[in-house]
Amino acid sequence: MTRPASDPTRRALLAAGAVAACALVLAACTRTGAGDDGAADPDAAGTAAAPSDGPRVDGTVAEGLDNPWSIAFLPDDTALVSERDTGAIRSIAAEAGGAASPGVPPVLGVVPGVVHGGEGGLLGLVASPDFTTDRLLYVYFTADDGNRVSRFEVGPQGLGAEQPVLTRIPSAGNHNGGRIKFGPDGMLYVGTGDAANRDASQNPDSPAGKILRLDPGGEGVALPVEASGGLAHTTGHRNVQGLAWDADGRMWATEFGPDRDDELNLVEPGANYGWPAVTGAEGEGYTPAVHVWPSTADASPSALAIVDGVAYVACLRGQRLWRLPLPGPGREAEAGGTLPGAAEFLRGDYGRLRDVVVAPRGAAAGDGPELWVATNEGGASRILRVTLAEGG
């Protein structure tokens, strides 16, 4: 549902629509300012009603969290959770996953130099692929000189000294990106936003509005690396906050649209996804989205997890969890922007959903796949345990 941005009449209509949409968002917003984190009416129309055999919440793992942003599991099944506004990283012990009376997890450490403002603060977390030997935790956060990725050694006393990895990623009150993941190739992938400068997404010299790729432990790599467009794996993004890989090794990303056209994209090296010239599933010269939510009130996708060929997308404004069966390799374009079988769950039941990750515990116990979902409810946020029905 792509709309080129070059037509003056169209721009005027879009501007008027954007003003109206912003007014609605500001009226509904409860805990955050304007931007992709805005709240919405959970009764907004969706693409499909929830089937009865889908994901269900089976309990609360932790509560009393202050705007958790990212969940990262360690090899021993300990979960670490970032709090955007406080800069704290909390630790959930492996046995807490089945606790009957969850509480507030203890603080492992506070990341120094976090500057919270708007959508900025302490954002993404990911453990090193070699964590059992190097004990390194990678962290994406907003500092006084922009967004950055740093790493910390995790020890008995908490976090060690900061080791900056990637610095001077542009920051703003919104569109900060922030999701970081290690891929199957061992490389670190970093989703950035356009930092409220839409032209930066198409600027080859800027790291903003990109998915960046680097090897933080590579031979001859001197840290910290100053972020640049030369690290771009893909370009033309507005605000990437969901990254995941499927069993075929394909990389997928979710992205916030402006007042329309949230996206699920198949990430291909060197691809340009069109922002700000186009949004959605069409656009000559750009890579189209595989799935598009025409209304951001139905989605605003903040995180992505993939289980058995099915994508699960946590949504902020949409206040729901989407289930999207992914097409097979080579068939991604057949959907034309609407994946068959897309369905929504938990709609409006738990407020805004910030993160979704695959938990290692359910599979290890033989109980089938399990998701952990972080809510975005200010100081009363929770981590929910979500079980998947057989077949998704």
Side-chain angles (χ1 to χ4, degrees), residues 95-322:
E95 59 271 17
S101 300
V104 181
V107 173
L108 172 72
V110 176
V111 175
V114 172
V115 177
H116 165 58
E119 296 171 11
L122 178 57
L123 306 179
L125 300 178
V126 66
S128 163
D130 301 314
F131 186 86
T132 53
T133 55
D134 63 27
R135 305 289 299 177
L136 292 176
L137 177 70
Y138 287 76
V139 178
Y140 185 114
F141 66 96
T142 309
D144 57 7
D145 61 350
N147 292 312
R148 62 169 55 192
V149 177
S150 292
R151 63 189 185 190
F152 298 83
E153 185 173 347
V154 177
Q157 304 304 315
L159 300 177
E162 179 187 2
Q163 304 173 38
V165 173
L166 184 64
T167 60
R168 297 189 179 278
I169 302 169
S171 63
N174 52 25
H175 305 183
N176 287 292
R179 197 67 65 189
I180 54 176
K181 300 284 185 179
F182 279 97
D185 57 0
M187 301 290 280
L188 180 65
Y189 291 81
V190 180
T192 72
D194 66 11
N197 175 12
R198 51 195 287 151
D199 293 335
S201 298
Q202 295 295 333
N203 182 348
D205 297 323
S206 174
K210 314 289 193 298
I211 295 177
L212 308 179
R213 177 179 182 268
L214 75 155
D215 183 0
E219 185 176 349
V221 177
L223 300 179
V225 175
E226 185 167 325
S228 70
L231 296 172
H233 186 62
T234 56
T235 62
H237 298 288
R238 182 175 180 270
N239 194 16
V240 174
Q241 288 191 3
L243 300 174
W245 286 259
D246 64 20
D248 293 308
R250 295 177 298 174
M251 184 179 181
W252 299 84
T254 56
E255 178 167 353
F256 292 88
D259 58 343
R260 63 183 190 276
D261 295 351
D262 289 332
E263 300 175 355
L264 172 70
N265 287 301
L266 175 68
V267 178
E268 300 178 291
N272 186 331
Y273 293 86
W275 176 256
V278 298
T279 62
E282 299 175 2
E284 186 175 352
Y286 301 107
T287 301
V290 175
H291 186 81
V292 179
W293 292 271
S295 171
T296 58
D298 293 334
S300 295
S302 181
L304 170 66
I306 298 176
V307 179
D308 296 333
V310 177
Y312 295 89
V313 181
C315 298
L316 290 170
R317 291 186 62 202
Q319 299 184 15
R320 66 199 77 179
L321 183 72
W322 279 95

Side-chain angles (χ1 to χ4, degrees), residues 283-385:
E284 186 175 352
Y286 301 107
T287 301
V290 175
H291 186 81
V292 179
W293 292 271
S295 171
T296 58
D298 293 334
S300 295
S302 181
L304 170 66
I306 298 176
V307 179
D308 296 333
V310 177
Y312 295 89
V313 181
C315 298
L316 290 170
R317 291 186 62 202
Q319 299 184 15
R320 66 199 77 179
L321 183 72
W322 279 95
R323 183 178 71 182
L324 304 172
L326 297 175
R331 304 184 61 184
E332 296 88 359
E334 294 179 9
T338 303
L339 286 173
E344 58 183 35
F345 300 86
L346 316 184
R347 178 171 162 180
D349 294 339
Y350 299 94
R352 296 147 47 80
L353 307 181
R354 170 61 76 180
D355 196 14
V356 56
V357 296
V358 181
R361 298 166 197 174
D367 297 332
E370 178 178 297
L371 303 176
W372 281 19
V373 174
T375 69
N376 184 236
E377 305 170 276
S381 299
R382 297 165 283 177
I383 306 291
L384 307 172
R385 184 174 62 252

